[in-house]
Amino acid sequence: MTRDQCVQLDEQDALRTYREEFDLQQGLIYLDGNSLGPLPHRVRKRVADVVEAQWGKSLIRGWNEGWIDLPRQVGEKIAPLIGAGPGQVICCDSVSVNVFKLLAAALQLRPGRSVIVSEQNNFPTDLYMAQGLAGLLGEGRCQLREVTTDTLADNLDESTAVLMLTPVNFRTGECHDMAPLVQAAHKAGALVLLDLSHSAGAMPVVLDAANIDMAVGCGYKYLNGGPGAPAFVYLAQRHHERVRQPLQGWMGHQSPFEFETGYAAGPGVSQFLAGTPAILSMSALDAALDIWQDIDMQAVREKSLALSQCFITLAASAPALASLTLVSPAEPSARGSQVCFSHPMGYAMVQALIRREVLADFRAPNILRFGLAPLYTRFVDIWDAVDALRDIVGSGEYLKPTYLQSAHLQSQHQQSKHQQRNTVT
Ligand SMILES: *Cc1c(COP(=O)(O)O)cnc(C)c1O
């Protein structure tokens, strides 16, 4: 595949105009949209308005002029992207906090069952939150069973309250074959909680049709809501009557402004609100979501797979890159919206790429991760990124002392089990 062919693919791309929605610097290749989406122009305008006109001029009247309804409004904008009918999605808190609320709710919806089943290589925060809940409730009421991916179904039984799954693995981009797992969980009488952080905005998701019970997802990755944008909660209608969640803040109360001393849960998903919504960042996410209004998620998926296939094909045809091992599935349908390779010197290679304005990231212990966001990633970006990587590896540029030194530091960090500073999620 030549660079000209990539240019041609971009010209034929039905989603090509969406790139203009984003503030992307000329010459920079951004392959980290699965960690932090770039700034949409309309978000810059909206945030300026919220600060100047709403907070600045309306002051406390802002709550009556739309702020109080924002969590619900943003939830309703997310709903069509994840195959959810109205009244089941609300925007609040972080994914981590929402996992805690939903796991607790799942245990409460399945009395007599204490086990949360999840996979060892799930995103760590999901496991940490489950461990925290287990520590709080005690073993008799809550236990986390962390198992390997291929034994998930075997571990579902009459003690399982909830199967907690992340459909796309954050490290490798591998997708679960969801339907059989969901079916097995339901057959065992358990609920299913999905973490859509790497799915929402990256591929079609069908929560209602797939009979999913509960889900969480991230606002700052493919949804482009900005650093620390609030997350969302989905709870299927059929659970609304009976559900309770333990972080009983006043915003989830039936009537927060009555200031009653006893808690009475608000209707449906509204009880998943805890404290006052973060209006500045939620407004940013609200504006960013308007980009999706007319977008067909199937077209997003098709372009995403074409981009990843392009990356894989180009990398495979570069002799200089023979030492990199493809970690993402070669089978397109099993692939999320990213491509990953492993190499013992992966950290140094990513540092060298970043120096050349190709932003990708590194995931311990040895993974080079390239996120593909079909709304703004172009085929020509893929060509240029692989070309840069080929040059860095072929010429041995990544072996320069500065990259090696940082690679050495990185491995020391890992040994001392310290978290790397410059990467988040
Ligand atoms: C990014 C990500 C999160 C982030 O959680 P926060 O609490 O919002 O920081 C959680 N789970 C998965 C799978 C992720 O990829």
Side-chain angles (χ1 to χ4, degrees):
M1 194 183 281
T2 65
R3 192 173 192 281
D4 280 346
Q5 284 171 320
C6 288
V7 171
Q8 246 171 31
L9 286 173
D10 287 325
E11 281 165 5
Q12 295 156 5
D13 171 17
L15 297 173
R16 70 185 176 283
T17 53
Y18 288 101
R19 186 175 163 87
E20 293 156 22
E21 289 279 349
F22 297 91
D23 188 350
L24 289 161
Q25 285 163 52
Q26 270 262 308
L28 180 120
I29 298 178
Y30 195 61
L31 300 175
D32 253 334
N34 55 345
S35 236
L36 175 67
L39 171 65
H41 298 300
R42 53 176 90 213
V43 168
R44 178 185 284 114
K45 287 201 200 98
R46 174 71 173 274
V47 169
D49 180 67
V50 176
V51 170
E52 297 294 337
Q54 299 183 18
W55 181 15
K57 303 281 183 311
S58 290
L59 286 162
I60 199 161
R61 290 168 290 192
W63 289 110
N64 294 330
E65 293 166 2
W67 294 348
I68 200 75
D69 196 40
L70 205 53
R72 196 199 56 80
Q73 177 184 316
V74 173
E76 294 301 354
K77 284 186 189 177
I78 294 169
L81 299 178
I82 56 175
Q88 302 174 104
V89 184
I90 195 147
C91 181
C92 54
D93 302 314
S94 60
V95 174
S96 306
V97 171
N98 290 333
V99 163
F100 186 88
K101 290 185 270 192
L102 284 171
L103 287 177
L107 290 168
Q108 174 269 339
L109 285 167
R110 287 290 177 271
R113 293 170 177 244
S114 58
V115 177
I116 299 167
V117 173
S118 195
E119 47 177 342
Q120 277 159 359
N121 63 358
N122 198 346
F123 193 82
T125 202
D126 298 41
L127 301 174
Y128 301 159
M129 295 312 287
Q131 290 159 11
L133 184 63
L136 177 71
L137 296 179
E139 213 172 80
R141 192 68 197 92
C142 179
Q143 296 166 47
L144 172 63
R145 196 181 289 165
E146 293 176 42
V147 304
T148 57
T149 306
D150 42 334
T151 60
L152 277 166
D154 302 334
N155 276 285
L156 300 165
D157 55 34
E158 65 286 349
S159 69
T160 313
V162 56
L163 169 64
M164 174 170 70
L165 278 183
T166 299
V168 183
N169 183 278
F170 77 103
R171 242 189 228 109
T172 63
E174 183 166 357
C175 295
H176 277 299
D177 185 9
M178 295 289 297
L181 285 170
V182 173
Q183 211 176 12
H186 285 159
K187 196 160 164 244
L191 299 170
V192 177
L193 163 59
L194 299 187
D195 182 339
L196 303 175
S197 295
H198 285 270
S199 321
M203 60 183 63
V205 177
V206 288
L207 294 182
D208 287 349
N211 223 7
I212 303 304
D213 300 284
M214 36 183 64
V216 293
C218 189
Y220 54 79
K221 291 173 179 162
Y222 293 96
L223 300 183
N224 311 303
F232 61 87
V233 165
Y234 160 90
L235 183 70
Q237 194 81 46
R238 61 185 173 279
H239 299 302
H240 287 195
E241 289 267 303
R242 290 201 301 123
V243 76
R244 285 301 290 271
Q245 67 91 8
L247 303 185
Q248 301 183 159
W250 68 313
M251 287 292 151
H253 193 283
Q254 228 170 53
S255 37
F257 299 99
E258 301 289 327
F259 300 100
E260 289 160 4
T261 50
Y263 183 79
V269 279
S270 73
Q271 73 160 287
F272 282 85
L273 295 178
T276 306
I279 297 303
L280 297 182
S281 51
M282 206 175 288
S283 299
L285 175 57
D286 186 50
L289 285 164
D290 287 337
I291 296 172
W292 296 92
Q293 248 161 26
D294 301 315
I295 292 179
D296 170 13
M297 287 311 294
Q298 203 52 51
V300 169
R301 178 66 172 156
E302 278 162 28
K303 181 176 173 191
S304 160
L305 291 181
L307 288 167
S308 55
Q309 199 55 51
C310 174
F311 203 122
I312 291 169
T313 306
L314 287 171
S317 63
L321 299 180
S323 60
L324 274 73
T325 308
L326 179 68
V327 176
S328 303
E331 160 59 36
S333 65
R335 205 150 67 214
S337 206
Q338 65 187 55
V339 179
C340 306
F341 298 88
S342 67
H343 190 283
M345 296 300 294
Y347 185 80
M349 290 174 182
V350 169
Q351 294 310 306
L353 277 173
I354 293 171
R355 186 66 67 88
R356 290 194 183 201
E357 305 264 273
V358 178
L359 300 196
D361 59 21
F362 172 77
R363 282 292 170 274
N366 59 2
I367 290 182
L368 300 90
R369 188 176 78 162
F370 303 93
L372 311 167
L375 297 198
Y376 52 83
T377 308
R378 296 170 301 190
F379 289 92
V380 75
D381 295 329
I382 302 300
W383 202 93
D384 290 341
V386 176
D387 191 47
L389 185 60
R390 179 167 50 200
D391 196 51
I392 284 164
V393 178
S395 68
E397 185 184 318
Y398 70 101
L399 297 167
K400 276 189 185 168
T402 63
Y403 305 131
L404 282 186
Q405 203 174 19
S406 53
H408 179 65
L409 282 175
Q410 159 64 19
S411 76
Q412 277 187 338
H413 268 304
Q414 257 172 257
Q415 278 163 13
S416 61
K417 296 252 193 261
H418 273 130
Q419 274 242 300
Q420 205 187 324
R421 282 256 179 75
N422 61 345
T423 51
V424 189
T425 57

